[in-house]
Amino acid sequence: MSNQQSLFQKELMQQALKQSFVKLNPKIMFRNPVMFTVEIGTFVMAIVCIWVLMGETEQGSFGYNFTVFLILFLTLLFANFAEAIAEARGKAQADSLRKTREETPAKLKNGQTISSAQLKKGDVFVCEAGDVIPSDGEIIEGLATIDESAITGESAPVIREAGGDKSSVTGGTKVLSDRIIVEVTTQPGESFLDKMIALVEGASRQKTPNEIALTILLAGFTLVFIIVTVTLKPFADYANVGITIASFISLFVCLIPTTIGGLLSAIGIAGMDRALRANVITKSGKAVETAGDIDVLLLDKTGTITIGNRKATHFYAAPGVADEVLVRAAVLSSMSDETPEGKSIIELAAVNPVTYGVSKPTFVKFTAETRSSGVDFGNTRIRKGATDAIRNVVAQAGNAFPAEVEERVRAISQNGGTPLVVSENERALGVIELQDVIKPGIQERFERLRKMGIKTVMVTGDNPLTAKYIAEKAGVDDFIAEAKPEDKMLYIRQEQANGRLVAMMGDGTNDAPALAQADVGVAMNSGTQAAKEAGNMVDLDNDPTKLIEVVEIGKQLLMTRGTLTTFSIANDVAKYFAIIPALFITAIPALQGLNIMRLESPQSAILSAVIFNAIIIPFLIPLALKGVAYKPIGASALLRCNLLVFGVGGVLIPFVGIKAIDMVVSLFL
Amino acid sequence: MNTEILGIIAMFVVTLLLGLPLGKYIAKVYGGEKTWMDPIWGPIERFIYKISGVDSSKEMTWKEHLTALLTINLVWFLLSMAVLMNMEALPLNPDGNPNMSTDLAFNTSISFLVNCNLQHYSGETGISYFGQMWLMFLQFVTAGIGMAAAVVIFRAFRDKTTTQLGNFYDFFLKSCTRILLPISIVVASILVFQGMPMTFEGKDTMINMQGDTVEVSRGPVAAFVPIKHVGTNGGGFFGANGAHPLENPTYLTNMVEMVAQFIIPMAMIFAFGFFIKRRKFAWMMFGVMTVGFLILVIPNVKMEMAGNPAITEMGIDNSLGAMEGKEIRIGAAASGFWSIVTTMISTGSINSMHDSYMPLSGMNELIAMMVNAFYGGVGAGILNFFIFVILAVFISGLMVGRTPEFMGKKIEAREMKIAMMVALAHPFLILVGTALATAFPTQGAATLNNPGFHGFSEILYEYTSSAANNGSGFEGLGDNTLWWNISTGIILLLGRFIPIIGPIAIAGLLAEKKFIPEGEGTLRTDTSTFGLMVFAVIAIIAALAFFPALALGPIAEYFSMS
């Protein structure tokens, strides 16, 4: 799927234009108090126009009144269009994801074939090589390689199998080999994507807490200007200044923060949309907003900080043990070890295990309890595993654990490596050194996070020494070593008790409680259903560094709101200098002194201000949709920068804009 | 340099130099730390608590604070009505001044209760010494109320998460005994030596230079005047307030009275910094307020010293400045300086007639009251400034991409709602009041001395002064009418209590919230950048709400002159 989409595609434009009119419905408009008052103003102007047509003479010409009416109407349309285009873009993005999974035949277990749309939660279907998976679900039997490029854009196939943390499949992806039996986990129309689309479309979109607070601020400003405009009537009467209804409404509409009022919901939708573009499905707008506030980021070491997996780099035999003996034991124990570590041991040894000619080997699988794996054949028992696990095995048999091995283990750990101890018949043979490879460029990303004020925490099953080494090398601020799932939870609770917001990423079922506890929990799409239910975002790319992007999207969202609010309010200064002299000049010629822009006539001044007020909305739509760029330069510097651009700029731009429009408008008057 | 200019610079510098240590002392008083005043006031305070049965060690929530504050105010209001309407029957009335009418008593009681002291009566003829003493009492306690309210906010930000915000009576009584009273005593001693009357005898007679016999009002002036300034009350003993020769006899008393009114508003800022241990934040506040002050005061002093160009054109020597309505012993510079300080910090005492100022000077006085947060009244100034800080935090927090937080507390919808209501109340009261007065010309405009733009300024000034709890008058307004007494009375009440209840509620709500430690991403509120933001918010809100009204008043007058 392409992430490149131009801002204004033709189809989207048409759709949005239509919606701009639909949204004029006062019931919908009422959600946005600022624009709702503009709608009332427009309505009043319509009545004034009719009144003038019926012969009223004190309100100015019909042409003038009608122009004001038209511009106000356009202001409404522009604001609606901003929201509509944001919705259309979000929907288009979501649709393109959804399309991949529509109309796929689903082979039920009983042999019947139905359409994917008919699948219900709990149905069980079968997929074989070449099939497109009809729905999200969980593998209950089998293993398969799957091409997920339709969703993630990543071409390398992935393995999914029943049980464990890699059992989840996504509708629209393709089975490349083998056969799996899958249970449907969501009701039709209730998948995360469906929820997201509903959020974007506005059906279930709720204002986020921050949006509510901002709406209160904007409503407050609107009220101030209602007071200002209404009280101006008796003031003007006192000064014997006649002010037309068109002027009153123009003054009011120009002063209330229509720019931010018109763009506010578009900004929120665009935030979710940007998340979707980054292939992250958010379950609520609030989650995106919270992401911007994150103080602590919990990252798994493997896959995030280090490249995939560790590689074996050395064999260290114990004293009195020949190197070949250790290598042989290491290779044999790794024969059926499908983990990348196991494979790398055989690679390092460069021996084909078959050449050892072992007969009837029984493989001992790795379990969380034994924390070791190995092989039994004849009377030989080879084990390979974590140091303390093997030490236990050796000690239980009453054998001594060589001090040299102990020494070696520590040395490896200190250098950031992971030691694996090999034993044969409960005697330690030596150590295999595994080394982590830190992802290129990760240090810079952590540096950026630090500048954003976010503390990074590496979570790893490694021992503290190894963890410390990697943590320092990668530049994370803290680490949790020998982490058990409940450690994550504990850490999150601790940080939260100190008032910090925590984000984490996880995939396994045992991550689910921590994902739920975290303020922002991003579940990988490849993760279990439980993990996806627990988090508030799902990352389709399964990319653990995605959290960093999500945080920036959240910050951008808030910043766009803040900067456009500032811009909108700062604009009022120039609008005042355009309208106030225009209102009074005829009756009080002395106030010409306030007409610092030297606008042509009162009518042209008022029209210019209203026109500027209207067209600034479409001008700012691209910014609202793309978001204001976040720079990690520290909060105060960022505030200075944005104050300069949007505050000072917001004061100056309308002076230029209104003057320019006035020069054009006065040609027609 | 001009001695007049040096004089006003000296007043500012002396205030600042005294304000810093006073701030430290105030922080100690409210923090319950030991001070050298303990042996003097401790027994007196304990006695007062004993007879009133108040437990001053009981910690209160923000709601309990407000209940205590409003109850105590109600009691004073009722007592005040009783005193002012029955002065003929009460002692200490040597001049036989009459009882106040119900509406005037209502206006006066409220006016003094809300620390505003808008006076629709004249001290010489409208009130007995007993009445004056009662008003003097109110000047102490209402200043104490304002300070106690501010301390509730201090407390809300001192502890990380708490609902317990100290005891209201403790804050209140200590404000009176440990701060207001001692400073007033020092000020009174200086004033008495400068010839200010201090007597319970009635009017004196004297023969003036023209040979006429005139009656001269006097009374316990030297006791009254210090608290009028120290508590930023501003209610004059005499009708002419600080312009009256017995209320402000010399240039030195003018300086002392200036420092007296300026010092606590300034010291409270530093006290806040010392109290919550964020001195840099206090300097940020001081910086914003001082910039605002200078922007208003410098043009005023300049314009008043330059004099009225219309008079210069007539060939009349104008070298002393615009001296209409000013006292020769005080001069144009010190008058111009006073006019901004008194409007800015809500004292509302005057040493010259604001009605006679140049149009744009008058506008600056209006703006000072419309903002009402540059230094501001004792306690009240910090409360008003706090609202602007909340708004600035909210907008700037968004601008740096974080949910806004102030002192480790998140600002959310509920706080915004209250902050907006308080911010709205001020323009609402001023504009709606003025609109009603202009809409009913028989009530409002008919009482004006001047028609046109200046008349409009007079109405606008009266309501601005009421809403800002300032109490100064543009005058030129026949304001002892039922309309003015009742309408300004209501505005006074709302203008006082909304900005007390709102900020305390916000502070109380914030105090209950979880404390978030500052991180790199947190926007620091003690920097000049944030100060700039606060200033911009203040300027924009004041400018946006009042520009049309100012355009029809002082601005139109200004452009009509040239």
Side-chain angles (χ1 to χ4, degrees):
Chain A
M1 186 194 56
S2 150
N3 278 339
Q4 303 297 318
Q5 202 182 63
S6 84
L7 267 180
F8 302 103
Q9 275 178 0
K10 204 177 156 201
E11 285 164 59
L12 297 184
M13 293 284 278
Q14 279 168 350
Q15 209 179 334
L17 275 175
K18 200 180 134 210
Q19 280 297 312
S20 312
F21 284 91
V22 173
K23 284 171 188 287
L24 287 172
N25 182 345
K27 270 190 204 153
I28 304 175
M29 213 68 180
F30 190 71
R31 280 169 59 107
N32 185 337
V34 178
M35 295 318 291
F36 184 66
T37 55
V38 178
E39 186 161 45
I40 295 175
T42 315
F43 184 68
V44 172
M45 276 319 294
I47 294 173
V48 171
C49 288
I50 297 169
W51 194 28
V52 171
L53 277 182
M54 284 164 64
E56 163 66 30
T57 50
E58 295 207 335
Q59 295 297 329
S61 70
F62 174 76
Y64 170 66
N65 281 297
F66 190 69
T67 314
V68 172
F69 164 76
L70 265 188
I71 301 168
L72 296 189
F73 190 67
L74 271 179
T75 313
L76 286 174
L77 288 182
F78 286 152
N80 284 346
F81 178 77
E83 188 180 295
I85 189 90
E87 283 175 359
R89 274 159 52 85
K91 232 181 107 194
Q93 191 81 22
D95 277 347
S96 67
L97 281 178
R98 192 156 54 175
K99 222 167 260 167
T100 51
R101 58 185 68 186
E102 272 169 5
E103 306 294 319
T104 322
K107 284 184 277 181
L108 291 188
K109 216 179 164 191
N110 58 20
Q112 212 183 335
T113 301
I114 58 169
S115 158
S116 58
Q118 290 169 283
L119 281 174
K120 283 186 294 295
K121 188 176 178 179
D123 283 352
V124 176
F125 58 83
V126 182
C127 280
E128 283 171 330
D131 287 351
V132 172
I133 299 175
S135 161
D136 288 3
E138 197 151 347
I139 304 176
I140 50 176
E141 202 184 308
L143 170 152
T145 48
I146 292 171
D147 173 10
E148 292 191 340
S149 60
I151 299 289
T152 65
E154 179 66 50
S155 57
V158 290
I159 294 174
R160 297 278 179 258
E161 62 180 315
D165 290 343
K166 303 271 184 210
S167 61
S168 187
V169 289
T170 313
T173 57
K174 198 173 172 188
V175 178
L176 295 179
S177 71
D178 305 284
R179 177 176 185 273
I180 45 173
I181 299 173
V182 182
E183 187 182 327
V184 179
T185 47
T186 51
Q187 286 290 8
E190 282 180 18
S191 71
F192 299 120
L193 208 55
D194 292 317
K195 283 182 195 162
M196 172 103 190
I197 292 169
L199 274 178
V200 169
E201 281 176 344
S204 62
R205 190 167 72 230
Q206 297 208 318
K207 284 193 176 144
T208 60
N210 178 270
E211 214 176 335
I212 292 171
L214 183 58
T215 308
I216 291 171
L217 181 87
L218 298 179
F221 273 109
T222 309
L223 274 172
V224 170
F225 293 119
I226 290 179
I227 299 170
V228 168
T229 321
V230 171
T231 56
L232 193 58
K233 170 75 180 147
F235 293 178
D237 289 347
Y238 170 86
N240 290 321
V241 180
I243 299 178
T244 61
I245 295 175
S247 303
F248 271 120
I249 289 180
S250 304
L251 174 69
F252 173 69
V253 170
C254 282
L255 292 182
I256 59 171
T258 46
T259 312
I260 178 68
L263 294 171
L264 189 56
S265 53
I267 295 170
I269 302 164
M272 282 187 284
D273 182 41
R274 276 200 299 278
L276 192 56
R277 247 154 246 268
N279 267 344
V280 176
I281 297 179
T282 52
K283 293 194 203 163
S284 70
K286 189 179 172 217
V288 182
E289 212 174 274
T290 314
D293 285 348
I294 289 303
D295 303 291
V296 181
L297 208 52
L298 251 56
L299 295 162
D300 278 326
K301 185 197 76 176
T302 311
T304 314
I305 296 165
T306 58
I307 289 176
N309 299 291
R310 290 164 292 210
K311 280 196 151 71
T313 53
H314 259 106
F315 295 111
Y316 297 102
V321 177
D323 281 352
E324 297 79 58
V325 177
L326 170 65
V327 171
R328 176 173 174 271
V331 169
L332 285 176
S333 68
S334 307
M335 253 165 73
S336 74
D337 187 347
E338 284 298 307
T339 63
E341 287 95 340
K343 285 179 190 156
S344 78
I345 291 172
I346 296 174
E347 260 171 51
L348 179 69
V351 185
N352 186 347
V354 184
T355 57
Y356 291 122
V358 175
S359 59
K360 288 186 203 159
T362 326
F363 297 105
V364 183
K365 269 200 160 184
F366 178 91
T367 66
E369 292 98 80
T370 61
R371 299 180 63 210
S372 64
S373 61
V375 59
D376 292 346
F377 53 90
N379 286 332
T380 318
R381 293 173 301 281
I382 299 175
R383 291 290 178 277
K384 166 191 88 184
T387 313
D388 46 346
I390 300 298
R391 194 195 291 117
N392 276 346
V393 170
V394 172
Q396 267 169 18
N399 293 329
F401 195 73
E404 288 81 356
V405 173
E406 200 79 68
E407 190 61 38
R408 179 58 65 190
V409 162
R410 197 169 310 123
I412 293 171
S413 295
Q414 265 162 1
N415 286 324
T418 308
L420 278 183
V421 182
V422 182
S423 71
E424 189 175 321
N425 296 343
E426 293 81 39
R427 258 178 354 100
L429 291 183
V431 191
I432 310 169
E433 179 178 359
L434 299 174
Q435 275 290 357
D436 270 307
V437 186
I438 290 174
K439 274 192 177 176
I442 198 80
Q443 284 101 331
E444 288 77 26
R445 301 203 86 169
F446 288 137
E447 187 55 37
R448 192 173 162 87
L449 281 169
R450 195 166 302 114
K451 281 191 187 141
M452 288 159 79
I454 295 171
K455 177 178 159 189
T456 45
V457 181
M458 179 180 87
V459 183
T460 168
D462 292 342
N463 64 56
L465 276 175
T466 316
K468 185 162 184 279
Y469 179 84
I470 296 172
E472 275 171 12
K473 218 167 147 194
V476 292
D477 302 312
D478 197 4
F479 60 86
I480 313 175
E482 289 171 349
K484 294 179 285 297
E486 57 268 30
D487 289 342
K488 275 192 197 175
M489 185 77 174
L490 214 65
Y491 195 92
I492 294 174
R493 285 223 176 109
Q494 229 167 43
E495 290 288 350
Q496 284 174 336
N498 288 328
R500 295 190 178 87
L501 294 183
V502 187
M504 74 165 278
M505 197 145 190
D507 54 2
T509 300
N510 51 23
D511 281 336
L515 279 170
Q517 179 73 31
D519 300 281
V520 174
V522 184
M524 297 204 210
N525 196 39
S526 62
T528 60
Q529 189 63 23
K532 286 196 268 185
E533 291 285 353
N536 38 22
M537 294 186 193
V538 179
D539 176 26
L540 297 176
D541 291 345
N542 308 321
D543 172 8
T545 56
K546 195 60 81 52
L547 268 174
I548 300 172
E549 269 169 69
V550 172
V551 168
E552 292 201 358
I553 290 170
K555 285 199 177 292
Q556 275 192 330
L557 175 65
L558 293 184
M559 276 174 57
T560 313
R561 279 190 199 140
T563 49
L564 289 183
T565 303
T566 308
F567 184 81
S568 188
I569 295 170
N571 274 341
D572 280 3
V573 177
K575 291 176 193 165
Y576 255 139
F577 278 101
I579 297 184
I580 291 293
L583 293 180
F584 303 138
I585 276 176
T586 335
I588 313 170
L591 280 176
Q592 180 67 30
L594 276 183
N595 184 10
I596 54 175
M597 281 181 272
R598 299 277 158 240
L599 302 179
E600 196 60 32
S601 68
Q603 287 201 341
S604 76
I606 287 174
L607 286 180
S608 310
V610 194
I611 292 174
F612 177 84
N613 191 55
I615 59 168
I616 195 73
I617 297 177
F619 266 111
L620 289 175
I621 289 178
L623 183 68
L625 296 188
K626 276 190 204 147
V628 173
Y630 176 79
K631 283 170 270 180
I633 49 175
S636 281
L638 194 60
L639 177 62
R640 260 197 303 277
C641 177
N642 284 332
L643 258 184
L644 189 72
V645 176
F646 295 93
V648 178
V651 172
L652 297 180
I653 288 170
F655 275 107
V656 179
I658 292 175
K659 178 70 190 168
I661 296 170
D662 179 73
M663 291 189 329
V664 178
V665 167
S666 53
L667 294 178
F668 295 95
L669 284 175
Chain B
M1 202 195 280
N2 190 317
T3 10
E4 280 193 81
I5 301 280
L6 279 180
I8 59 177
I9 292 175
M11 284 188 260
F12 185 83
V13 173
V14 168
T15 313
L16 179 57
L17 291 181
L18 292 175
L20 266 167
L22 180 63
K24 199 166 191 174
Y25 166 78
I26 291 177
K28 273 189 183 173
V29 168
Y30 293 130
E33 289 173 52
K34 270 207 172 96
T35 64
W36 58 275
M37 292 270 193
D38 291 353
I40 310 167
W41 299 108
I44 297 174
E45 288 162 4
R46 280 192 291 277
F47 175 72
I48 293 174
Y49 288 134
K50 206 172 167 192
I51 56 167
S52 61
V54 167
D55 175 11
S56 69
S57 63
K58 185 186 166 285
E59 295 272 323
M60 294 177 168
T61 64
W62 65 270
K63 284 180 190 158
E64 288 169 323
H65 270 284
L66 285 177
T67 314
L69 184 150
L70 295 173
T71 314
I72 205 168
N73 271 289
L74 181 66
V75 173
W76 290 328
F77 171 73
L78 296 174
L79 278 174
S80 187
M81 288 296 280
V83 170
L84 297 177
M85 290 176 70
N86 296 292
M87 288 185 294
E88 285 171 15
L90 290 164
L92 289 176
N93 193 0
D95 299 330
N97 286 341
N99 293 336
M100 284 189 186
S101 64
T102 316
D103 58 303
L104 182 59
F106 170 78
N107 186 277
T108 308
S109 297
I110 287 183
S111 171
F112 276 79
L113 201 63
V114 302
N115 195 254
C116 167
N117 310 9
L118 193 70
Q119 293 165 294
H120 289 176
Y121 64 93
S122 215
E124 292 89 335
T125 54
I127 190 165
S128 71
Y129 291 162
F130 190 86
Q132 295 275 30
M133 301 270 285
W134 167 254
L135 294 184
M136 192 174 95
F137 168 77
L138 284 185
Q139 296 202 342
F140 271 103
V141 293
T142 59
I145 292 285
M147 296 175 80
V151 180
V152 179
I153 293 194
F154 289 14
R155 273 295 297 265
F157 295 108
R158 190 189 67 178
D159 303 329
K160 283 196 172 166
T161 301
T162 182
T163 54
Q164 304 296 303
L165 302 172
N167 183 284
F168 183 78
Y169 299 106
D170 179 44
F171 296 159
F172 161 66
L173 191 61
K174 275 183 178 162
S175 306
C176 294
T177 55
R178 313 271 175 126
I179 300 162
L180 296 168
L181 209 47
I183 299 175
S184 298
I185 291 172
V186 174
V187 173
S189 318
I190 303 171
L191 297 181
V192 163
F193 278 106
Q194 287 289 308
M196 198 174 281
M198 184 64 207
T199 175
F200 283 119
E201 283 174 49
K203 287 192 177 79
D204 206 351
T205 49
M206 63 171 242
I207 298 166
N208 69 9
M209 283 154 97
Q210 287 154 315
D212 300 331
T213 307
V214 287
E215 292 206 306
V216 180
S217 289
R218 51 183 178 172
V221 188
F224 190 94
V225 169
I227 188 60
K228 151 186 151 187
H229 288 121
V230 173
T232 66
N233 293 283
F237 193 89
F238 301 115
N241 208 310
H244 193 290
L246 294 184
E247 198 159 335
N248 189 7
T250 65
Y251 194 86
L252 180 65
T253 59
N254 190 62
M255 286 184 88
V256 171
E257 289 178 20
M258 170 50 61
V259 174
Q261 62 180 301
F262 212 167
I263 190 161
I264 292 185
M266 210 181 263
M268 282 300 271
I269 304 167
F270 299 119
F272 188 32
F274 286 118
F275 193 86
I276 61 166
K277 300 196 169 58
R278 288 173 192 257
R279 270 185 274 177
K280 253 192 99 186
F281 184 79
W283 281 109
M284 185 282 291
M285 286 175 74
F286 177 77
V288 173
M289 293 174 169
T290 306
V291 168
F293 169 60
L294 293 177
I295 289 177
L296 295 174
V297 81
I298 292 173
N300 260 39
V301 170
K302 229 181 128 212
M303 283 184 284
E304 294 312 309
M305 286 181 78
N308 191 333
I311 292 183
T312 317
E313 230 166 77
M314 289 157 72
I316 299 172
D317 176 33
N318 217 2
S319 59
L320 280 179
M323 287 306 288
E324 181 199 305
K326 295 196 179 64
E327 297 294 306
I328 202 81
R329 67 182 182 284
I330 298 166
S335 298
F337 185 77
W338 182 300
S339 76
I340 288 299
V341 175
T342 194
T343 44
M344 213 181 46
I345 64 174
S346 98
T347 312
S349 67
I350 50 162
N351 67 359
S352 52
M353 287 299 131
H354 291 182
D355 202 16
S356 302
Y357 274 66
M358 304 302 295
L360 293 187
S361 297
M363 180 179 80
N364 282 358
E365 291 155 14
L366 278 165
I367 291 175
M369 292 186 285
M370 285 163 174
V371 169
N372 207 18
F374 293 147
Y375 307 113
V378 283
I382 287 197
L383 299 175
N384 289 329
F385 192 80
F386 177 65
I387 293 293
F388 288 120
V389 168
I390 295 289
L391 296 181
V393 161
F394 185 77
I395 298 176
S396 51
L398 289 186
M399 279 214 278
V400 300
R402 248 182 105 88
T403 301
E405 46 196 71
F406 176 62
M407 304 256 172
K409 304 299 174 82
K410 276 202 158 64
I411 312 275
E412 287 161 308
R414 209 147 50 130
E415 292 79 43
M416 279 311 290
K417 212 180 274 175
I418 303 171
M420 258 348 265
M421 279 198 283
V422 178
L424 263 172
H426 198 51
F428 178 83
L429 294 176
I430 294 173
L431 294 176
V432 171
T434 312
L436 289 176
T438 47
F440 301 106
T442 46
Q443 300 296 337
T447 57
L448 296 173
N449 286 359
N450 297 280
F453 311 130
H454 196 76
F456 182 78
S457 299
E458 286 170 352
I459 301 178
L460 183 64
Y461 194 105
E462 186 74 2
Y463 285 108
T464 308
S465 176
S466 305
N469 282 183
N470 184 277
S472 69
F474 219 37
E475 298 310 334
L477 195 65
D479 51 14
N480 185 14
T481 65
L482 191 67
W483 166 267
W484 286 113
N485 283 337
I486 303 291
S487 70
T488 53
I490 293 169
I491 290 180
L492 286 170
L493 270 183
L494 296 173
R496 168 72 166 182
F497 291 107
I498 293 174
I500 284 184
I501 295 171
I504 287 188
I506 294 178
L509 290 172
L510 289 181
E512 288 164 17
K513 291 192 182 184
K514 205 164 18 169
F515 178 82
I516 307 155
E518 262 177 40
E520 296 239 5
T522 317
L523 179 73
R524 295 178 63 95
T525 49
D526 54 4
T527 60
S528 50
T529 309
F530 183 73
L532 188 73
M533 186 72 204
V534 178
F535 188 83
V537 166
I538 295 176
I540 291 254
I541 289 184
L544 294 186
F546 300 112
F547 188 65
L550 291 173
L552 280 176
I555 295 178
E557 195 186 349
Y558 168 77
F559 282 117
S560 307
M561 266 178 69
S562 49

